[in-house]
Amino acid sequence: MDALQFPERRIESSRGLANAHYVSSDRYYEEREALLFSSWSGAAVASDVPNPGDAAPIDFAGMPLLLLRDHDGDVKVFQNTCRHRGMILVEEKCNLRGTIRCPYHSWCYNLDGSLRATPHVGGPGRNFDENVDRRNLGLFEVRSCVWRDIVFVNISGDAPEFDEYAKVIKDRWKEHEGKPLYAGPGSSSFEFDVACNWKLAVENYCESYHLPWIHPGLNSYSKLEDHYHIEEPGLFSGQGTLVYRQIVGEKGERFPDFDGLSEFWNEGAEYVALYPNVLLAVQRDHAYVLLLLPQGPGRTIERVQIYYPFEPETRPDLAQLMETNGKLWFGVLGEDLFVVEGMQRGRHGVMFDGGKFAPKMDGPNHLFHLWVADRMLARGRRMAAE
Amino acid sequence: MNLDKLNRSVLAAHASGDGVALAQLYQFAGNEFVSAGSIDEGCFFLTQAYVYSLEFGLESAEEIRIALIEHGRER
Ligand code: FES
Ligand SMILES: [Fe+2]
């Protein structure tokens, strides 16, 4: 571990994380455990499985998960691996009418994960065996919680309760808390496949320093000085704006607001990276989530879903505006891709020393580095104790 | 029981992914063998039928399970 290169508490004298954190495969797996698996991470959106019995395989940083909605309508997450010979259970999105049948030897699991049938396990036509106790062979369930439609998972199973983890952000956004969010159609959902380490996408998202250069379109109505830092050590960081402008359609149409917001939100909007990998936008009339799905040290899938305060089917008059809005965000978020990919290539420069933070501008970013360092040091202490 | 015909129908149902047909075909074959006194073959086919009935949430799953239990093949 390059402990010497860990960031310092004082941003003025701190450098950023060393190159290894972005390019090393070993470090990627260490961080996967320390930053992603042992925290509450965003793995999917619940609107991917809208109906009872809907199931979807998820690759979460290489870990095969099975997202499903059971017959009571509850979302559950299991490891997508059969308890027999380890076959992947569900390969593509589907609706499960009955049990989950393993495609290899057809062991069947109920939607609560319990093992229901073990065909021919005791020889042809004999479906039980003294040494195969179904009661102990259910699917491994992964701790999960849905908030703002995001399916959070804690793979290690020992993170603090989700409500504790989310308390501060829920409190910050209490006016938005619990308001229904409806996943938008069509262009409201999109993905980018990006050649960068997932952390670079977090770092770019939480700073506003780049806005005038990378998003000149946004900046024509949103100046640097209209932005403020959001800094919550150990939990999240990002930026807020005081000059949010609603999108307006050709006929003057606008999206309705979320119910009961105070005046602050008329022109206020916030963009937060909830550590480790959930990027959020909260605005008066729509919101979005961008999930960072790591695919290796140098590759990340960015999954975006936009939400509205109304059921899209009930407002055909806003269909065009939703379509335009999705394309707008596709464009704006796409503007950041060359930067995060460029920084990824930059991290292969062996003389790069982690970089120099601009103390006035890079506070939210520095906080994320500190969080990474703290989690990695804690991991080091855990390993030393074992 | 015409095994060739069963084979052909089963292969066709497998190929088209028709689980409901598979459940019915196997259950029919299973019952035929059982009534002819061939319990092993019968339970083999009933097991196949059981799995597809479970997978597709068919009501037949329960009666097949009971039949298998009666023959000491499930519990
Ligand atoms: S690996 Fe799943 S039943 Fe054998
Ligand atoms: Fe940006």
Side-chain angles (χ1 to χ4, degrees), chain A residues 304-323:
Chain A
V304 180
Q305 177 67 57
I306 302 175
Y307 298 93
Y308 294 97
F310 53 89
E311 276 184 78
E313 314 80 72
T314 64
R315 294 298 303 268
D317 55 318
L318 294 175
Q320 186 52 53
L321 194 58
M322 283 189 273
E323 189 62 20

Side-chain angles (χ1 to χ4, degrees), chain A residues 97-99 101 106 108 116-117 119-120 124-128 130 134, chain B residues 40 43-44 47-48 50-52 54-57 68 72-75:
Chain A
R97 285 197 269 160
T99 55
R101 180 176 70 84
S106 290
C108 294
R116 172 81 167 269
H120 311 306
R126 296 168 200 275
N127 301 310
F128 59 88
E130 294 310 325
R134 286 181 210 158
Chain B
D40 283 348
C43 287
F44 174 87
T47 298
Q48 297 290 107
Y50 181 45
V51 163
Y52 290 108
L54 285 175
E55 182 182 10
F56 289 89
L68 287 167
R73 308 304 178 100
E74 177 57 288
R75 62 180 180 194

Side-chain angles (χ1 to χ4, degrees), chain A residues 45-355:
Chain A
V45 292
S47 46
D48 275 352
V49 286
N51 303 309
D54 281 352
I58 303 169
D59 172 328
F60 181 64
M63 166 100 172
L65 301 179
L66 172 59
L67 170 70
L68 63 80
R69 194 177 290 274
D70 68 17
H71 293 301
D72 297 328
D74 293 327
V75 169
K76 292 202 181 293
V77 179
F78 297 100
Q79 181 170 270
N80 192 12
T81 305
C82 182
R83 292 294 304 274
H84 176 219
R85 300 295 308 133
M87 177 66 184
I88 289 287
L89 287 170
V90 173
E91 285 282 7
E92 50 193 37
K93 259 192 189 185
C94 60
N95 183 267
L96 300 164
R97 285 197 269 160
T99 55
I100 305 161
R101 180 176 70 84
C102 176
Y104 199 177
H105 312 94
S106 290
W107 286 19
C108 294
Y109 300 88
N110 293 310
L111 298 200
D112 65 2
S114 56
L115 179 57
R116 172 81 167 269
T118 47
H120 311 306
V121 73
R126 296 168 200 275
N127 301 310
F128 59 88
D129 183 284
E130 294 310 325
N131 296 300
V132 180
D133 186 351
R134 286 181 210 158
R135 288 168 305 182
N136 300 326
L137 291 168
L139 295 179
F140 289 109
E141 183 162 3
V142 171
R143 215 172 157 216
S144 66
C145 192
V146 178
W147 177 64
R148 295 186 68 84
D149 196 47
I150 304 155
V151 181
F152 286 85
V153 295
N154 168 228
I155 290 178
S156 66
D158 60 3
E161 290 300 317
F162 181 81
D163 285 341
E164 195 178 315
Y165 158 79
K167 188 174 175 304
V168 181
I169 189 79
K170 283 186 182 183
D171 196 51
R172 181 178 192 96
W173 288 339
K174 52 182 171 296
E175 293 181 36
H176 289 264
E177 184 58 19
K179 307 275 162 72
L181 288 172
Y182 298 95
S187 68
S188 306
S189 170
F190 53 90
E191 274 185 15
F192 297 117
D193 191 339
V194 194
C196 78
N197 185 276
W198 62 275
K199 297 192 299 305
L200 289 172
V202 174
E203 296 171 22
N204 176 64
Y205 193 76
C206 53
E207 58 130 292
S208 54
Y209 191 6
H210 73 282
L211 297 184
W213 315 109
I214 305 304
H215 309 295
L218 274 189
N219 201 54
S220 62
Y221 55 81
S222 159
K223 299 190 294 294
L224 211 48
E225 56 268 32
D226 296 323
H227 290 263
Y228 56 92
H229 296 335
I230 297 172
E231 299 181 306
E232 204 60 62
L235 293 171
F236 56 85
S237 53
Q239 47 171 311
T241 175
L242 300 169
V243 290
Y244 174 69
R245 296 275 196 292
Q246 281 187 283
I247 181 174
V248 183
E250 278 172 10
K251 301 186 207 82
E253 69 274 33
R254 293 161 191 258
F255 299 129
D257 293 338
F258 288 101
D259 279 342
L261 298 183
S262 65
E263 243 172 45
F264 168 82
W265 294 98
N266 287 350
E267 294 186 278
E270 296 199 333
Y271 305 88
V272 159
L274 182 59
Y275 307 159
N277 72 327
V278 175
L279 311 184
L280 295 157
V282 168
Q283 307 162 141
R284 61 186 287 180
D285 58 348
H286 69 283
Y288 68 78
V289 59
L290 191 162
L291 297 178
L292 298 171
L293 304 172
Q295 307 291 310
R299 189 176 155 227
T300 302
I301 292 192
E302 298 188 359
R303 165 81 202 276
V304 180
Q305 177 67 57
I306 302 175
Y307 298 93
Y308 294 97
F310 53 89
E311 276 184 78
E313 314 80 72
T314 64
R315 294 298 303 268
D317 55 318
L318 294 175
Q320 186 52 53
L321 194 58
M322 283 189 273
E323 189 62 20
T324 307
N325 191 41
K327 289 188 176 138
L328 198 82
W329 279 114
F330 181 87
V332 170
L333 295 169
E335 287 170 346
D336 290 304
L337 302 184
F338 89 95
V339 181
V340 290
E341 293 189 333
M343 284 197 288
Q344 179 68 22
R345 284 185 287 125
R347 294 298 182 280
H348 288 272
V350 295
M351 285 172 279
F352 185 69
D353 60 0

Side-chain angles (χ1 to χ4, degrees), chain A residues 26-45:
Chain A
D26 289 349
R27 185 62 47 87
Y28 170 77
Y29 283 104
E30 290 165 11
E31 289 190 343
R32 188 175 84 139
E33 189 226 313
L35 308 181
L36 297 165
F37 287 4
S38 61
S39 313
W40 286 101
S41 303
V45 292

Side-chain angles (χ1 to χ4, degrees), chain B residues 1-33 41-42 44-50 52-53 58 60 64:
Chain B
M1 175 89 235
N2 182 337
L3 270 184
D4 277 348
K5 184 161 166 252
L6 174 70
N7 264 336
R8 278 195 303 279
S9 315
V10 161
L11 284 177
H14 266 293
S16 60
D18 187 345
V20 178
L22 282 172
Q24 288 167 351
L25 287 165
Y26 280 128
Q27 187 178 7
F28 177 77
N31 289 339
E32 292 278 293
F33 276 104
E41 287 90 339
F44 174 87
F45 287 118
L46 286 178
T47 298
Q48 297 290 107
Y50 181 45
Y52 290 108
S53 300
L58 307 180
S60 47
I64 300 171

